[in-house]
Amino acid sequence: GAVVSQHPSWVICKSGTSVKIECRSLDFQATTMFWYRQFPKKSLMLMATSNEGSKATYEQGVEKDKFLINHASLTLSTLTVTSAHPEDSSFYICSARDFRTLNEQYFGPGTRLTVT
Amino acid sequence: AQTVTQSQPEMSVQEAETVTLSCTYDTSESDYYLFWYKQPPSRQMILVIRQEAYKQQNATENRFSVNFQKAAKSFSLKISDSQLGDAAMYFCACTTSGTYKYIFGTGTRLKVLA
């Protein structure tokens, strides 16, 4: 149980275009989802927290107009990188919290974004 | 604000031996949870072990155990009988009830030598 999927696993896009990454909880309802960014050989950096039906809460320094997060249902959150630039190239990981297990998060497999 | 510190960027252990990864944390909350995650080359985050702060007993999961020193705010991970498959990045994380946000340490890369 507690499986989180991400799609796509790898995406290449051209500079100036937008790309959407989906995060789904497959066998539980996720009241809260989190989006992280991870640079090579670095730790996970929390970008934003999203609650179903509410606006996402962004961490300090994260541009909310560039990284659009939507959490329209209890099983789906999306991250859209708008007007992507090469510096947005990174590994993006989502996680989801099952309200029944309180504080534990379940992680998706990640999405590698390359902007050319 | 919470902080999590992992002071060992890299550790090596001989196969079948025991290794301990260090983690210290700081939080002003009384209700918090601590985790160790493993991130292999696939980059999938895998939960290794969790510890509820209100529990005095150290958590154990097969070959993995923690030494939770609440007063010292220390949460080390011991891996016994190390296996080649244990080679990965290990992250310590802390979260509190209310925000549910994880604060991660910088990670420790574990190498297992055959």
Side-chain angles (χ1 to χ4, degrees), chain B:
Chain B
Q2 296 175 81
T3 59
V4 177
T5 302
Q6 292 179 250
S7 58
Q8 306 155 315
E10 190 172 293
M11 293 283 285
S12 295
V13 63
Q14 207 68 36
E15 198 176 3
E17 296 296 311
T18 296
V19 65
T20 299
L21 308 184
S22 301
C23 172
T24 58
Y25 63 93
D26 192 19
T27 179
S28 57
E29 301 291 328
S30 58
D31 184 17
Y32 59 92
Y33 299 76
L34 299 164
F35 303 86
W36 278 98
Y37 279 89
K38 170 184 177 181
Q39 189 180 44
S42 67
R43 301 187 81 168
Q44 170 73 59
M45 296 289 282
I46 301 167
L47 177 66
V48 175
I49 201 164
R50 74 169 72 80
Q51 175 80 45
E52 293 88 342
Y54 62 84
K55 289 187 177 179
Q56 293 185 338
Q57 188 171 9
N58 289 326
T60 301
E61 288 287 343
N62 300 314
R63 298 182 295 107
F64 300 88
S65 62
V66 298
N67 183 2
F68 176 44
Q69 301 290 324
K70 193 170 184 177
K73 295 185 176 178
S74 171
F75 181 61
S76 60
L77 174 70
K78 185 171 83 171
I79 306 174
S80 304
D81 185 25
S82 297
Q83 300 175 357
L84 294 177
D86 295 334
M89 279 291 288
Y90 286 81
F91 293 101
C92 177
C94 177
T95 186
T96 60
S97 294
T99 69
Y100 305 113
K101 295 194 296 188
Y102 278 13
I103 302 300
F104 282 97
T106 50
T108 297
R109 179 170 302 279
L110 178 66
K111 295 184 176 181
V112 181
L113 308 173

Side-chain angles (χ1 to χ4, degrees), chain A residues 65-77:
Chain A
D65 294 331
K66 165 166 275 296
F67 299 101
L68 301 179
I69 292 171
N70 183 276
H71 191 164
S73 77
L74 284 172
T75 59
L76 173 64
S77 176

